Amino acid sequence: MESAATSHADLLPPPAHVAIIMDGNGRWAKARGLPRTAGHKRGAEAVRRTVECAREMGVSYLTLYAFSSENWKRPQGEVTDLMGLLRLYLRNEVRTLHKNGIRLKVIGDRSRLGADIVALIEESEAKTAGNAAMTLVLALSYGGRQEIVEAARRIAVQVAEGRLAPDQVDEAALSRNLFTEGMPDPDLIIRTSGEKRISNFLLWQCAYAELVFLDVLWPDFDREDLIGAIRDFHGRERRFGASGG
Ligand code: IPE
Ligand code: IPE
Ligand code: MG
C-alpha cells in the first residue's frame, strides 16, 4: 500500500522536464569502506528506480547527468569502471525502457566515447525513437560550456556559408544548435549529495529552472525523494522576471 508520503496523486501535473545531477556515489561507498565502483553500481540501481517513478508520475523529459566532460580527469580505473557500467546499462536496460514506451536520447561529446558505446547508443536511440511515454535523456561526456561553444561554431559555419544572416543569430538560433534542440528547458533541477553547484550542467537551459539541493547520496535516492522534490517545486512561485502577484 502506498503511504501518504509516497502518494503522488496530488502532484499532477508534474513538471514537464526534470533534470538530476546524480552525485554522491563515491561518498556512499566510502562511508561503507567499499571501493567507489560499488557506489556507482548502486547508483545505477537508483537510475532504474528513478526512471520508473518519473514515468509513472507523467514526467515528459527526465535528464540524468551521468558523466561530465570534466569526469574524464578521474583516475583511469574509475573511468573504465563507469564506462563498463554504462555498457551494461545500454545492453540490459534498453529492452525495459522500450517495453515501457520510453525514448532514449544521449547528449554530450560522443567523440570521446568508445566506438562500441557509440554504436550501442545509436542502436538504442533508433530502437526507442518512436516511443512517447517519456524521454530519458542521458548526459554523457557532457559539458554545458562545451555545448554552447559547439553551437557557436555551428552557427559561425552557417553564417560563413551564407545560410544565416548575423542578425538572425538570436536565442532561438542558439537553442536550435544545442544537443537539446526541440526539448523544453528543465523546470526542476535536483542535485543530490549536499553540494550546491551546477558543475557545468545545462548552463543555457537552466536559466529559469527551480533548483532543489538534497543531502541524500545518489545511491540512496528513492521515489520519496523525487516526490518530495516535486512537492517542493510545486510550492515555488515561478516569475520568469515578471513582478510577483
Ligand atoms: C556521481 O558520484 C557519479 C559521477 C560523477 C560519475 P561521484 O563519483 O561524484 O561521488 P562523490 O561526489 O565523489 O561522492
Ligand atoms: C557532477 O558531479 C557530474 C555528474 C553528476 C555526472 P561531480 O562530482 O563531477 O561534480 P563536482 O566535481 O563535485 O563539481
Ligand atoms: Mg561528485
Side-chain angles (χ1 to χ4, degrees):
M1 206 184 78
E2 265 190 343
S3 70
T6 57
S7 162
H8 51 75
D10 59 326
L11 285 175
L12 299 171
H17 186 173
V18 176
I20 307 182
I21 303 172
M22 311 185 288
D23 197 16
N25 294 352
R27 277 163 281 173
W28 184 93
K30 191 173 180 202
R32 286 161 183 75
L34 298 168
R36 291 178 66 84
T37 315
H40 295 316
K41 265 192 200 136
R42 289 295 283 263
E45 288 168 31
V47 168
R48 259 171 234 131
R49 285 198 292 278
T50 304
V51 169
E52 194 44 37
C53 184
R55 185 192 59 89
E56 280 173 25
M57 293 173 78
V59 167
S60 301
Y61 290 86
L62 174 68
T63 299
L64 300 178
Y65 201 8
F67 194 88
S68 75
S69 306
E70 289 71 32
N71 289 150
W72 290 112
K73 293 188 292 203
R74 293 192 179 193
Q76 207 197 320
E78 184 174 357
V79 171
T80 304
D81 287 344
L82 282 165
M83 292 299 143
L85 278 172
L86 174 58
R87 249 182 221 105
L88 274 182
Y89 186 83
L90 291 170
R91 284 208 192 105
N92 302 331
E93 291 303 312
V94 171
R95 211 172 302 123
T96 311
L97 295 180
H98 192 48
K99 196 179 76 206
N100 292 333
I102 297 170
R103 175 167 69 130
L104 179 73
K105 189 176 159 52
V106 173
I107 59 172
D109 179 5
R110 293 185 192 194
S111 73
R112 301 182 74 179
L113 297 168
D116 67 312
I117 291 181
V118 174
L120 275 170
I121 289 170
E122 287 172 355
E123 215 174 278
S124 308
E125 286 181 332
K127 182 179 167 124
T128 61
N131 295 338
M134 183 176 84
T135 299
L136 169 64
V137 182
L138 285 186
L140 293 175
S141 187
Y142 173 87
R145 286 189 167 183
Q146 292 84 342
E147 179 184 39
I148 294 169
V149 167
E150 181 57 29
R153 198 175 287 144
R154 287 170 63 176
I155 288 172
V157 170
Q158 291 160 32
V159 171
E161 290 177 349
R163 289 186 280 129
L164 195 70
D167 64 3
Q168 289 175 311
V169 180
D170 54 11
E171 289 186 19
L174 204 303
S175 293
R176 268 202 311 278
N177 286 282
L178 298 171
F179 292 126
T180 50
E181 179 197 3
M183 286 171 45
D185 287 342
D187 302 290
L188 167 64
I189 296 181
I190 301 168
R191 181 171 189 146
T192 59
S193 92
E195 307 297 348
K196 294 176 181 66
R197 55 178 170 261
I198 292 289
S199 299
N200 207 12
F201 188 44
L202 300 178
L203 294 183
W204 171 274
Q205 300 87 338
C206 78
Y208 274 100
E210 294 296 332
L211 308 178
V212 171
F213 298 102
L214 301 177
D215 284 332
V216 63
L217 300 173
W218 177 251
D220 290 328
F221 187 85
D222 64 13
R223 50 189 301 135
E224 286 193 33
D225 295 312
L226 180 61
I227 290 165
I230 291 179
R231 221 181 274 285
D232 189 342
F233 168 84
H234 279 298
R236 309 266 182 102
E237 185 199 351
R238 299 184 83 191
R239 292 186 177 176
F240 301 98
S243 55

